[in-house]
Amino acid sequence: MSIDIQQPRPQGLVGSLVHIAGTAGGAFEAQFNYRIHEGHDEVVGGFMAGDGTGGHGQFQVQADVSGASFALDRLFVEVFWVSPKDGAELDKIIVPVVYGPRIVPGYRVYQEYEIKPGDTLWGIATQFYGAGNLYPRLVRANPHVITNPNVITPGTVIRIPQS
């Protein structure tokens, strides 16, 4: 069987409802599982996928993680199927994501912002949050593009988490 995760994307910014979508199959109908975790807590569930002829079926699952006690803002979304022989987790796909509610209390959505010449993270944080010392929110929400908070490049698009 095979699994292809199309949502969330690696390093995607997610909220309390994590949308997991893609294709899975290789059997008439098969049971797949998901796990969303960060090492301290996890949310698990399952879904059926298949197209009825042994091909690949699309799936879309919404996982409510609002009750989880996540301590970190980096989560892992895993999708796999369990071997009936020995219980092994097979064909596991792991997608690392960023958990917005651990960055901005009441996180709902993010806004994209293109860095301009002369911008600093302190200035951007002041503009969007009213306080420059909240710039770590920007760093945490953009690990894929901000590797050094002292060096940002004009033209780079960053995500600004909003509540």
Side-chain angles (χ1 to χ4, degrees):
M1 290 202 272
S2 64
I3 304 167
D4 178 38
I5 304 298
Q6 297 162 355
Q7 184 181 354
R9 303 301 302 160
Q11 301 304 330
L13 191 55
V14 301
S16 293
L17 293 176
V18 179
H19 300 277
I20 309 169
T23 58
F28 177 72
E29 255 188 359
Q31 174 69 35
F32 293 88
N33 297 295
Y34 66 83
R35 177 185 303 117
I36 302 168
H37 68 94
E38 41 71 275
H40 296 95
D41 200 0
E42 66 180 21
V43 173
V44 298
F47 60 92
M48 299 292 287
D51 73 353
T53 59
H56 295 87
Q58 294 182 337
F59 68 88
Q60 181 172 332
V61 177
Q62 183 171 279
D64 183 351
V65 298
S66 61
S69 298
F70 293 137
L72 305 174
D73 57 26
R74 296 307 190 308
L75 305 180
F76 297 95
V77 176
E78 301 178 350
V79 177
F80 54 91
W81 63 280
V82 176
S83 168
K85 275 185 173 178
D86 59 8
E89 297 175 355
L90 303 174
D91 297 323
K92 185 184 294 184
I93 302 293
I94 302 171
V95 180
V97 295
V98 179
Y99 186 50
R102 291 293 301 162
I103 297 172
V104 173
Y107 170 80
R108 292 181 310 107
V109 68
Y110 68 86
Q111 177 178 345
E112 290 186 342
Y113 177 83
E114 183 175 340
I115 295 175
K116 297 168 187 53
D119 274 346
T120 63
L121 292 178
W122 188 278
I124 296 168
T126 300
Q127 177 183 344
F128 286 94
Y129 301 127
N133 64 341
L134 295 177
Y135 79 89
R137 290 179 173 180
L138 303 175
V139 175
R140 291 168 56 197
N142 295 280
H144 59 300
V145 293
I146 301 176
T147 56
N148 180 345
N150 297 314
V151 180
I152 57 174
T153 307
T156 301
V157 176
I158 62 171
R159 302 176 297 213
I160 313 235
Q162 305 286 307
S163 57

